[in-house]
Amino acid sequence: MSDIPDLSVQLHAHLTEIYGEEKAAAWEKKFADLIHAHLGRKNRQSGSCIEEHSSLLITYADSLRAKGKTPLAALSDFLEAHVGEAISTVHLLPFYPYSSDDGFSVIDPLSVNSESGSWEDIHRINRSYNLMFDLVANHLSQYNASIQKYLDGDPEFADFAIEVKGDEDISQVFRPRALPLFSTVTSAEGNSRKVWTTFSADQVDINYGNPKVLLFILEVLLTYISRGASLVRLDAIAFIWKELGTSCIHQENTHRIIQFFRWAMETCAPGAGIITETNVPHKENISYFGDGHNEASLVYNFPLPPLTLHTFLTGDSTKLSRWASTLEFPSEEVTYFNFLASHDGIGVVPAQGILTQQEITAMAEHVQKQGGFVSYRSEGDGTKSPYELNCSYLSALSDVSLEESHAIRAARFIASQAIMLSLRGIPGIYIHSLLGSENCLACPDLLSNPRRINREKLQVEELEEVLDDDESIRSLVLSRYLQLLTVRKKEKAFQPSSAQRVLVTDPSLFILMRGSQEGERIISLINVTDRPTGADLKGITAELGITEEVSWMDLLSDSSPSEEGTLILEPYTICWLKG
């Protein structure tokens, strides 16, 4: 490794921090050989990765299906025909062979599930879009080859998983789900072991205390970069390091391993980035920025979905605005991954301490009235509390007891999405949000897997027929969404690192400015209510510190405010004022 200055020194330092001097020395050559094999595999630019991603589409590889095509080919064709350059990046959720959990029980993380397509299909998408892949970091399917060898006692795979007796004191362990922490797993040859399973009996936690596990996961990470990913999402990363007597979440070695991944990626492919998936309260979540240079390039903005939902259900933006006004960015190299919906539900734990328990309960009850579900997690005292609301975001913002028009429902929904698109960071748009999907009450196994309510598999031919109807909810949502994304992509003020200031004034409005007072700037005004609301533009600009006369133009309507400076925003109206 002498051709790269300090590589051996830095590698040794990382491994020593995680494992100590003795293990680091024993394993250093294997890690060095792996890194050397991946050097220069992907020719990327150095510097921050975030500016090349203006917006990101989240989708399963098989969310769309079409006759005579693989699902990945159907996705590629649909994006080309209906979305085009409105988005910059496609986040493909786990597309590997799997045994359960809709892809997150990974059997082989280095292969494409043949039912979804091939690497060539993925490379075809990459010719038009940047890519983000999922690295399921905490666990593997019980049917994974390494797990099977571990279960059968292969000495090469000793300690690959975490074997337990079952009587360990786990009272301090943080439990994300109300399921058993330990499970008895049996190999194909009939050998059984009781092992640690944080998320389900089919998802065996791997043991990062064994350097062989870290080496294996590093190979997966670097392979994804060489296969075209410019971002890699580390799924369930907060749980990877276990020590009994602790909460087994957010451990120091977890952060050290992320720092090692970041270093390895920057060494092999400068400009590639990491996004950490840590669905926890805000303070713990943003700890994965590290010092702003050494861990995640992006972290999920987990409080945003429940706070935005609360805002529109109550018609009051106060708590959302106060929270958004406190967001900090530790460096220009990092930013938030802003999202409202995803393949999972709407997590409410990150909103604790911002919303009251009564407000969280009110959201949960509303979601249930729309046909959705509430998932619970175990507390330390044996009780359960809401963890996640399982509902499409469009349905969560609706009220089945009212006979609302498609136009009103679409306007409310798009207004919620405009908040996400206005905020500093990179917006992540779930495919079922882009396509105006409602709760899939016909999706299979909802009682055992309520998240499937928002994971419908759409037939492209049927979808396009609905989109041809300009008055359908899908058509209304898609056309308005694409307008926002297209306008947003052209504006420097909406770049991921552009400055942001949020005002906490009128609860009927969500108000922020992107860009600087002196340079290019956009004021975003969003009416979060079902009634017309006046906006005092002169007062707003004064509070933002803009003292000169400015000619403002609404980028969405190509109109200017009146000379008096008062705007009347109809229900759920969005104004992006440039001046």
Side-chain angles (χ1 to χ4, degrees):
M1 307 295 287
S2 58
D3 53 329
I4 301 180
D6 299 326
L7 193 149
S8 294
V9 174
Q10 293 178 44
L11 173 60
H12 182 78
H14 279 288
L15 294 178
T16 300
E17 276 197 334
I18 300 167
Y19 294 114
E21 187 71 37
E22 185 177 348
K23 278 189 178 180
W27 283 86
E28 186 174 343
K29 186 179 185 306
K30 292 182 183 294
F31 281 92
D33 289 346
L34 175 61
I35 291 171
H36 185 76
H38 283 268
L39 286 173
R41 284 261 188 109
K42 185 165 178 60
N43 183 20
R44 300 194 54 78
Q45 300 294 319
S46 13
S48 171
C49 75
I50 64 175
E51 297 299 340
E52 66 183 282
H53 304 276
S54 65
S55 58
L56 190 151
L57 180 71
I58 308 165
T59 180
Y60 280 102
D62 63 348
S63 290
L64 301 181
R65 298 174 177 179
K67 295 177 181 178
K69 301 177 184 179
T70 66
L72 281 165
L75 173 65
S76 181
D77 288 345
F78 184 86
L79 294 178
E80 181 179 341
H82 297 279
V83 177
E85 296 180 357
I87 62 166
S88 64
T89 307
V90 175
H91 171 201
L92 291 173
L93 293 161
F95 50 81
Y96 327 111
Y98 69 97
S99 54
S100 65
D101 198 17
D102 291 339
F104 284 87
S105 293
V106 179
I107 295 175
D108 180 3
L110 296 174
S111 298
V112 179
N113 186 351
S114 60
E115 294 182 3
S116 294
S118 65
W119 281 116
E120 178 51 41
D121 289 326
I122 292 174
H123 296 156
R124 179 184 166 198
I125 296 173
N126 196 197
R127 287 195 282 271
S128 299
Y129 301 99
N130 295 311
L131 293 176
M132 181 162 92
F133 294 169
D134 263 74
L135 198 167
V136 182
N138 179 72
H139 49 264
L140 291 165
S141 165
Q142 63 177 314
Y143 302 105
N144 168 265
S146 297
I147 296 298
Q148 288 286 303
K149 290 176 181 178
Y150 158 79
L151 294 172
D152 288 331
D154 186 331
E156 289 292 314
F157 291 85
D159 298 323
F160 202 86
I162 304 171
E163 190 163 0
V164 295
K165 295 178 181 178
D167 58 357
E168 289 84 353
D169 180 5
I170 58 172
S171 58
Q172 295 186 53
V173 177
F174 177 83
R175 301 293 296 115
R177 298 183 185 175
L179 294 169
L181 185 61
F182 305 146
S183 304
T184 298
V185 180
T186 304
S187 74
E189 295 185 7
N191 298 302
S192 297
R193 297 194 186 196
K194 185 178 286 289
V195 294
W196 200 300
T197 53
T198 297
F199 293 98
S200 81
D202 185 41
Q203 295 166 304
V204 178
D205 288 35
I206 50 179
N207 180 19
Y208 281 85
N210 178 355
K212 187 180 185 73
V213 168
L214 182 62
L215 183 68
F216 171 74
I217 294 298
L218 179 63
E219 181 181 8
V220 174
L221 175 66
L222 296 180
T223 298
Y224 290 171
I225 299 300
S226 69
R227 287 289 194 176
S230 55
L231 288 171
V232 176
R233 173 185 183 268
L234 303 182
D235 177 69
I237 191 68
F239 297 93
I240 63 172
W241 194 271
K242 280 85 171 175
E243 291 183 18
L244 287 171
T246 73
S247 64
C248 297
I249 187 173
H250 312 314
Q251 299 296 294
E252 283 189 27
N253 266 2
T254 296
H255 287 279
R256 289 169 179 155
I257 288 169
I258 295 170
Q259 291 163 18
F260 173 60
F261 287 157
R262 171 77 176 260
W263 169 81
M265 288 176 66
E266 289 181 344
T267 299
C268 295
I274 284 173
I275 175 170
T276 49
E277 188 265 335
T278 51
N279 193 354
V280 293
H282 188 65
K283 183 178 180 181
E284 289 84 357
N285 184 41
I286 61 174
S287 71
Y288 289 86
F289 278 137
D291 64 9
H293 310 280
N294 65 345
E295 291 193 34
S297 304
L298 298 99
V299 300
Y300 276 77
N301 210 343
F302 277 110
L304 183 60
L307 290 178
T308 302
L309 177 59
H310 167 79
T311 294
F312 282 88
L313 294 184
T314 61
D316 188 339
S317 68
T318 304
K319 290 195 172 183
L320 172 65
S321 298
R322 284 177 179 165
W323 164 79
S325 68
T326 67
L327 291 176
E328 296 180 350
F329 301 81
S331 79
E332 292 298 312
E333 296 177 28
V334 302
T335 194
Y336 287 99
F337 182 61
N338 298 319
F339 76 111
L340 292 179
S342 72
H343 60 291
D344 292 336
I346 303 166
V348 297
V349 173
Q352 292 176 350
I354 306 172
L355 300 180
T356 66
Q357 190 57 50
Q358 290 80 6
E359 288 168 331
I360 291 174
T361 299
M363 285 196 299
E365 291 174 348
H366 173 81
V367 161
Q368 289 175 313
K369 289 178 181 177
Q370 312 318 308
F373 301 91
V374 179
S375 297
Y376 294 87
R377 68 182 179 93
S378 298
E379 301 289 355
D381 59 3
T383 62
K384 295 190 297 184
S385 63
Y387 170 75
E388 185 178 82
L389 311 181
N390 300 116
C391 194
S392 90
Y393 214 82
L394 175 61
S395 293
L397 285 167
S398 301
D399 189 337
V400 294
S401 67
L402 303 176
E403 294 184 1
E404 295 180 313
S405 68
H406 287 338
I408 287 294
R409 295 179 64 218
R412 182 191 299 119
F413 177 72
I414 291 297
S416 75
Q417 307 302 294
I419 289 177
M420 172 185 69
L421 296 179
S422 299
L423 286 166
R424 178 177 175 181
I426 298 175
I429 302 106
Y430 188 41
I431 191 166
H432 285 298
S433 290
L434 186 69
L435 298 177
S437 294
E438 302 181 68
N439 284 340
C440 180
L441 300 179
C443 283
D445 304 319
L446 284 182
L447 292 180
S448 60
N449 190 352
R451 285 176 169 174
R452 286 188 176 169
I453 199 169
N454 198 25
R455 297 179 180 179
E456 185 177 3
K457 309 302 181 185
L458 299 173
Q459 196 68 30
V460 170
E461 295 84 357
E462 297 174 3
L463 173 62
E464 290 182 328
E465 186 176 343
V466 174
L467 290 175
D468 284 341
D469 178 1
D470 293 341
E471 296 182 0
S472 70
I473 189 73
R474 289 195 185 279
S475 181
L476 291 169
V477 167
L478 179 61
S479 60
R480 288 295 311 281
Y481 222 137
L482 292 178
Q483 180 199 18
L484 291 179
L485 288 169
T486 301
V487 169
R488 183 185 185 279
K489 190 171 185 177
K490 297 175 182 177
E491 299 300 326
K492 287 185 178 180
F494 282 135
Q495 289 180 345
S497 60
S498 176
Q500 169 176 294
R501 183 174 174 191
V502 178
L503 297 187
V504 186
T505 52
D506 187 341
S508 300
L509 298 172
F510 183 77
I511 307 170
L512 65 74
M513 183 176 75
R514 295 292 308 281
S516 64
Q517 293 175 342
E518 298 78 19
E520 292 197 20
R521 61 203 168 191
I522 292 174
I523 296 176
S524 177
L525 304 171
I526 301 168
N527 184 353
V528 303
T529 74
D530 60 0
R531 59 187 182 277
T533 298
D536 176 12
L537 186 56
K538 289 186 177 180
I540 289 170
T541 55
E543 190 167 350
L544 289 169
I546 301 171
T547 56
E548 76 275 17
E549 290 292 326
V550 179
S551 297
W552 297 99
M553 173 67 70
D554 180 16
L555 297 172
L556 301 177
S557 66
D558 290 327
S559 62
S560 299
S562 66
E563 291 185 3
E564 292 75 20
T566 300
L567 284 173
I568 302 298
L569 278 73
E570 295 300 320
Y572 309 119
T573 291
I574 307 154
C575 285
W576 281 349
L577 301 177
K578 183 177 181 180

